[in-house]
Amino acid sequence: DNASKGAEGTAGKAIIDSAKNWNSKLLTYVSSAGIYKPNGVFPMPETTPVKDSAGQVLYEKYAIENGLPFVSFRPQYIYGEKSNKWDYIDWYFDRLVRGQPLPIPGDGSQKVSLTNSEDVASLLASVLNDEAAAVKQTFFNCGTDQLVSYDEVAAMCAEAAGISDYMIEHYDGSLGKAKFPFRLTDFYVSPDTAKEKLGWKGPKHSLVDDLPWYYESYKARGGLDKEMEFVEDKEVLSATV
């Protein structure tokens, strides 16, 4: 059961109820910046409107209604050796190593933040720097302040893989995402509130420095040997011609 995806009918309710019964001093929760409904303000502040039906929002609401000393972190696009999801950056390598075009929606200038899991962990731990301030603020965005564009990620991945000849093909975002791993528009947060309220010192990792080991990991995970057809890619690119 994924305790992070709701309260009622999940393990999340049991965790919140237990924390209340135990008079816990602090309940720290890992939510998601994916709950935000962007309104054109970037980086998205913690006051950005959220999807009321999202499981993480329901979890946050239940914890607050129960009067717990509660703090919620909202990370986005995590990568790293301890990450449980590799899809974001693998999307680029999957196409680069096979000589396939990279279909990127829009003009590729959209900004995104990709955060190493170790930086996420240090940001989560910063709640202990000032628990009272953390509870008072309640919500914290969790991510690096080093932004990159979709096209820049392609260039950095190509360099890490030693590939100089690659092709980006931009297409009309109205055709949909296909298999593209990010949003059609800008989608990024800032850790400024955590820096100000919790004294977080900022990220120690950068994507460009991490990509060489990431590419080695990609190969070790069988990335070069996967059978891939890129059906969705071909559909959006053929519709663009």
Side-chain angles (χ1 to χ4, degrees):
D1 196 357
N2 189 337
S4 72
K5 292 295 180 70
E8 296 294 337
T10 73
K13 183 179 186 300
I15 291 173
I16 294 169
D17 291 345
S18 295
K20 183 175 183 179
N21 291 334
W22 297 334
N23 294 318
S24 298
K25 295 181 179 179
L26 184 67
L27 174 60
T28 301
Y29 172 64
V30 181
S31 180
S32 170
I35 65 176
Y36 287 137
K37 297 189 295 184
N39 57 2
V41 178
F42 292 98
M44 295 180 291
E46 285 84 355
T47 53
T48 303
V50 297
K51 304 170 186 174
D52 292 332
S53 61
Q56 294 93 335
V57 174
L58 297 176
Y59 186 108
E60 293 171 347
K61 182 179 179 181
Y62 186 71
I64 293 171
E65 287 176 346
N66 275 271
L68 286 169
F70 178 71
V71 179
S72 178
F73 287 93
R74 295 168 171 173
Q76 67 167 167
Y77 300 137
I78 303 171
Y79 73 91
E81 295 177 272
K82 302 298 184 182
S83 173
N84 68 344
K85 191 170 184 179
W86 301 82
D87 301 4
Y88 310 123
I89 302 175
D90 278 10
W91 183 91
Y92 286 87
F93 285 122
D94 285 342
R95 287 149 183 80
L96 287 168
V97 301
R98 292 169 176 82
Q100 294 290 319
L102 286 79
I104 295 179
D107 64 5
S109 66
Q110 304 95 310
K111 297 293 186 181
V112 66
S113 60
L114 287 153
T115 309
N116 188 292
S117 55
E118 291 185 355
D119 288 327
V120 172
S122 72
L123 204 159
L124 296 177
S126 70
V127 70
L128 299 176
N129 293 342
D130 193 332
E131 296 179 24
V135 172
K136 184 177 180 180
Q137 171 63 33
T138 306
F139 304 112
F140 291 90
N141 287 329
C142 184
T144 182
D145 48 13
Q146 300 172 10
L147 303 179
V148 289
S149 72
Y150 297 161
D151 281 5
E152 287 171 339
V153 177
M156 289 188 288
C157 288
E159 182 177 359
I163 297 171
S164 58
D165 185 16
Y166 67 96
M167 180 168 56
I168 294 174
E169 293 196 20
H170 296 124
Y171 69 91
D172 188 339
S174 66
L175 296 172
K177 288 179 57 175
K179 290 293 186 178
F180 190 66
F182 304 125
R183 302 291 180 101
L184 297 173
T185 62
D186 289 318
F187 195 78
Y188 58 91
V189 297
S190 165
D192 289 349
T193 302
K195 287 182 175 182
E196 176 187 351
K197 304 288 186 180
L198 304 179
W200 188 58
K201 300 302 182 182
K204 294 183 178 180
H205 294 267
S206 69
L207 180 63
V208 67
D209 291 336
D210 284 342
L211 281 174
W213 70 252
Y214 187 104
Y215 180 56
E216 292 304 313
S217 169
Y218 174 81
K219 292 190 291 184
R221 289 182 282 110
L224 300 179
D225 302 319
K226 293 188 293 185
E227 293 186 8
M228 309 191 73
E229 296 182 353
F230 305 109
V231 174
E232 292 86 351
D233 290 14
K234 295 172 184 175
E235 289 176 350
V236 294
L237 293 179
S238 63
T240 302
V241 177

